Amino acid sequence: MSKIGFIGLGIMGRPMAGHLLDAGHDLVTVKRGTLDATLVEKGMTELDSPRAVAEQAEVVITMVPDTPDVEQVLFGEGGVAEGLKPGTLVIDMSSIAPIATQAFAKRIVDAGGEYVDAPVSGGEGGAINAALTIMVGATEEGFTRARPILEVMGKTITHIGGHGAGQTCKVANQIVVALTIEAVAEGLLFASKAGADVAKVRESLLGGLAQSKILDVHGERMIKRTFDPGFKIKLHQKDLNLALEGARSLDLALPGTANAQQLFQACVAHGGEDWDHAGILRALESLADHEVGS
């Protein structure tokens, strides 16, 4: 079993850390307010800084919101890099910019560590059920070392390629997820406005070519109007910004992605930055002057 530093105990990070504790790993984290009582009961302890975490850990996992957050944790004052020991495995499971990831990896490797980018998909449910899809960018050695740890938290683990490749895959994932959520929302809105029973429409669609995990999970959220996150709109916006910035650098048009981003922005304008991303339905309902199920 490993001594693991886990930094970032949010909606996703808490259950992920819990699975590692259940598997017998010894976990430390950075003190941020009150540590979840369940994690304390399982033996997780707090330290004063990312540097202190790195000084004690063989493996450091980060699961924080955005690229600047990862940079601060790794390279800011009192950061992981200051306490890095030769051979320490650093696994970033956040969803951040691929190019920045390559730069972070070089800095960690130059300092004597091993870097793995391993963003995840599957949302809160996937984290709770240890069923996450994990997309890995790493050397072969890094992937081999990280895999037993990742297998505790995820079900589908794929080595995409070198440093940054995991994050590139995650950006692609977020494009597909956003456009599929929008498609489900538009389909249910159309059915509702036409006077059909949207619950029965969803049930029927789940048996045909339109069937998807998003229609299953987020379609139900839309019908029941349960927009507590899940995965917050402001975080999906961040991911689509990465997609659109990358597209500009590649001279690539992503019109569907841009449209989904505008619908998310409409939600934010109505106070919805912390809604689950299924809340994109609300932006479409506003345009239609119709609420699904009404």
Side-chain angles (χ1 to χ4, degrees):
M1 295 296 104
S2 300
K3 182 74 169 280
I4 298 175
F6 199 110
I7 301 172
L9 300 173
I11 289 174
M12 302 283 286
R14 281 194 302 272
M16 292 163 67
H19 294 312
L20 292 168
L21 287 162
D22 290 340
H25 295 288
D26 184 8
L27 262 65
V28 295
T29 191
V30 177
K31 190 172 185 178
R32 291 282 188 273
T34 303
L35 184 60
D36 185 279
T38 302
L39 298 179
V40 173
E41 291 169 4
K42 292 180 178 182
M44 193 170 203
T45 57
E46 294 179 309
L47 300 173
D48 291 333
S49 67
R51 173 180 178 170
V53 168
E55 287 172 343
Q56 290 201 18
E58 306 162 56
V59 179
V60 176
I61 296 173
T62 52
M63 185 63 175
V64 295
D66 204 348
T67 307
D69 302 301
V70 175
E71 184 171 21
Q72 180 63 32
V73 167
L74 294 181
F75 307 112
E77 184 177 353
V80 167
E82 293 182 6
L84 199 70
K85 302 185 299 294
T88 299
L89 178 63
V90 177
I91 305 174
D92 178 38
M93 304 189 75
S94 319
S95 295
I96 67 170
I99 293 175
T101 292
Q102 293 172 351
F104 297 165
K106 185 178 187 305
R107 292 175 70 178
I108 291 296
V109 171
D110 287 348
E114 183 75 52
Y115 192 92
V116 172
D117 53 287
V120 304
S121 179
E124 183 182 12
I128 290 171
N129 295 315
L132 293 168
T133 293
I134 305 177
M135 313 155 210
V136 183
T139 64
E140 289 291 345
E141 179 183 355
F143 179 65
T144 299
R145 289 183 61 193
R147 183 163 193 157
I149 295 168
L150 300 178
E151 286 176 340
V152 175
M153 299 175 283
K155 183 178 290 185
T156 303
I157 299 159
T158 307
H159 186 192
I160 306 297
H163 296 135
Q167 296 295 354
T168 296
C169 184
K170 179 60 187 287
V171 171
N173 178 85
Q174 296 303 80
I175 293 169
V176 173
V177 169
L179 270 62
T180 308
I181 291 176
E182 181 186 350
V184 168
E186 289 191 12
L188 294 181
L189 181 61
F190 171 81
S192 178
K193 183 76 171 180
D197 183 326
V198 288
K200 290 182 178 178
V201 168
R202 170 180 165 274
E203 180 182 353
S204 178
L205 293 178
L206 284 170
L209 191 59
Q211 184 266 344
S212 70
K213 184 73 170 180
I214 287 172
L215 176 61
D216 183 12
V217 175
H218 291 82
E220 183 176 39
R221 279 182 179 270
M222 293 172 189
I223 292 168
K224 292 184 176 179
R225 311 197 68 75
T226 52
F227 297 118
D228 294 335
F231 187 72
K232 294 179 181 180
I233 280 175
K234 65 182 179 183
L235 294 178
H236 209 146
Q237 279 192 298
K238 176 261 297 182
D239 293 338
L240 295 191
N241 280 337
L242 295 177
L244 294 169
E245 289 165 6
R248 280 192 293 273
S249 70
L250 295 167
D251 292 327
L252 178 67
L254 298 177
T257 303
N259 187 60
Q261 184 73 307
Q262 288 300 306
L263 290 169
F264 281 142
Q265 185 57 36
C267 292
V268 172
H270 286 83
E273 66 175 11
D274 290 328
W275 296 344
D276 184 84
H277 50 177
I280 199 171
L281 172 69
R282 289 181 166 182
L284 293 165
E285 288 175 334
S286 178
L287 292 171
D289 193 25
H290 176 83
E291 185 174 291
V292 165
S294 62

